[in-house]
Amino acid sequence: MSESDGIIRCLECGLRFRNLGRHLNAAHDMTAAEYRSAHQLPATAALMADAQRAQGHDRMMDADIAHLAKFRTPEHLNQMRAAAIESIRVTEDYAAVRAARAAGRRYAVQVMHGKRMLAIDDKARQAGYEGIDDAIRATQALAGTAAAAKIGIGHTTVLRRRAQLGIASPRRRARRSVESGNSSIPPTARPSQHQTNRD
């Protein structure tokens, strides 16, 4: 919310303040929640200048805050958590909020994917391979479930990684081989067209 100099501009009148909350109440008869809703701002958008908030935090840390103990009970914290979740849910549909959160969510997905790949690589190494890609290539002759059991990972992970590496399943490779006439199955072992139709 703060501009480059740390001051906040009021979106109602354009004036700039260190603490927008007091101004909203006095000049526009609005609460902070009404202001955020009117301008489709995130529920967590601060209405106090950065430096001002830092000073307030420092003063609070230096002060005797024993009187705030009643607000730190599990019951009160649960109420605050529920209110925060609801306010975030309400603002989720705002275009500006989605745009602001998109980068953070993309980063979170990348981090989770990276951690998952590290865990899969670790399982492949525990199974005796150099990594997951080495394990997938080494077990490509096996069915997906058998390869998954050998590596120690999920069946769908094997199939997904094979697709990413361009490795077809053994059944698909066999079908392609038969269709191209390059099957290693001797002609006498193959069912005749008449037998196939009869079955």
Side-chain angles (χ1 to χ4, degrees):
M1 290 294 296
S2 299
E3 296 186 349
S4 58
D5 58 358
I7 308 300
I8 299 177
R9 186 178 300 278
C10 174
L11 300 178
E12 288 287 315
C13 62
L15 297 177
R16 298 181 349 125
F17 299 89
R18 294 186 184 279
N19 189 340
L20 198 54
R22 287 196 293 261
H23 165 71
L24 291 175
N25 185 45
H28 305 296
D29 193 27
M30 297 177 76
T31 66
E34 289 168 344
Y35 176 78
R36 292 187 183 101
S37 178
H39 296 282
Q40 297 194 343
L41 300 174
T44 54
L47 302 182
M48 187 179 291
D50 298 341
Q52 199 87 354
R53 281 191 294 136
Q55 290 173 4
H57 177 268
D58 291 342
R59 281 197 300 271
M60 184 173 287
M61 290 299 98
D62 292 339
D64 179 12
I65 56 174
H67 65 286
L68 298 178
K70 62 183 178 182
F71 298 111
R72 303 183 68 179
T73 62
E75 295 77 18
H76 184 75
L77 292 175
N78 285 335
Q79 288 176 359
M80 290 177 61
R81 187 179 298 109
I85 291 172
E86 177 61 17
S87 61
I88 290 171
R89 185 191 65 76
V90 169
T91 61
E92 181 67 25
D93 291 334
Y94 296 162
V97 173
R98 287 200 303 271
R101 291 176 181 163
R105 287 178 174 171
R106 282 195 299 271
Y107 174 74
V109 169
Q110 290 173 355
V111 169
M112 286 189 294
H113 178 70
K115 288 181 177 179
R116 183 171 182 274
M117 288 308 300
L118 288 175
I120 291 172
D121 260 333
D122 189 48
K123 285 187 176 182
R125 281 191 290 271
Q126 289 174 15
Y129 302 98
E130 291 182 10
I132 185 60
D133 290 352
D134 176 51
I136 294 296
R137 291 188 179 97
T139 58
Q140 62 182 301
L142 301 175
T145 51
K150 192 173 179 68
I151 301 169
I153 59 178
H155 171 236
T156 54
T157 301
V158 169
L159 299 183
R160 191 183 310 111
R161 201 64 187 159
R162 280 179 175 175
Q164 290 168 349
L165 295 173
I167 298 172
S169 68
R171 185 178 299 173
R172 188 172 298 167
R173 286 199 301 272
R175 186 166 57 243
R176 286 177 184 168
S177 182
V178 168
E179 290 170 354
S180 64
N182 298 325
S183 175
S184 59
I185 303 173
T188 55
R190 297 182 198 168
S192 67
Q193 187 66 36
H194 175 68
Q195 289 173 321
T196 303
N197 291 339
R198 187 177 60 191
D199 294 342

